[in-house]
């Protein structure tokens, strides 16, 4: 997933924090992201529908989503949030709408890929170190 550009070094760093005392640490952090992030996406969508658009609020919401994604190393989400923020700065409503759709797609793709990843890790068992699979 790192080589495919879905995740960055932050995800590797999360994996390095995982140990015997918290064997599911990374999965729990990722689960929190996917529990909270739909609310952020919905808030962005609702703010886009309001007229007139509050580009300052849109930028702030995208900033929150970007920070949340960055915390798990969601590189493509982070990059699309930056594009969205650029559209906000240019007061480009159509650009924001297109960018939101890409953010939603990247979110869904990453969720599916990480669910598969964690499922495979559970099959391998705790004796294997997930960190080595990323290097």
């Amino acid at each position: 997933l790192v080589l495919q550009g879905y995740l960055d070094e932050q995800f590797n760093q999360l994996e390095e924090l995982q140990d015997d005392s918290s064997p599911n640490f990374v999965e729990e952090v990722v689960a929190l992201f996917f529990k909270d992030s739909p609310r952020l996406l919905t808030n962005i969508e609702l703010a886009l529908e309001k007229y007139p658009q509050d580009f300052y609020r849109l930028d702030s919401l995208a900033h929150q989503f970007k920070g949340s994604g960055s915390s798990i190393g969601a590189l493509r989400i982070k990059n699309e949030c930056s594009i969205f923020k650029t559209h906000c700065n240019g007061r480009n409503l159509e650009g924001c709408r297109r960018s939101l759709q890409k953010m939603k797609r990247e979110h869904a793709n990453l969720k599916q890929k990480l669910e598969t990843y964690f499922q495979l890790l559970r099959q391998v068992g705790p004796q294997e170190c997930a960190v080595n699979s990323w290097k």
Side-chain angles (χ1 to χ4, degrees), residues 59-73:
D59 184 82
S60 176
L61 291 167
H63 185 76
Q64 288 175 42
F65 188 53
K66 181 179 179 180
S68 186
S70 294
S71 71
I72 66 162

Side-chain angles (χ1 to χ4, degrees), residues 57-104:
R57 171 135 173 82
L58 285 165
D59 184 82
S60 176
L61 291 167
H63 185 76
Q64 288 175 42
F65 188 53
K66 181 179 179 180
S68 186
S70 294
S71 71
I72 66 162
L75 182 61
R76 290 184 182 186
I77 289 174
K78 186 171 71 171
N79 290 343
E80 195 56 48
C81 286
S82 293
I83 292 168
F84 184 94
K85 288 168 63 64
T86 299
H87 289 310
C88 286
N89 290 338
R91 304 181 67 78
N92 178 348
L93 182 59
E94 279 311 307
C96 287
R97 287 184 176 139
R98 283 191 310 274
S99 191
L100 174 61
Q101 294 311 309
K102 288 181 186 175
M103 287 161 48
K104 289 164 75 172

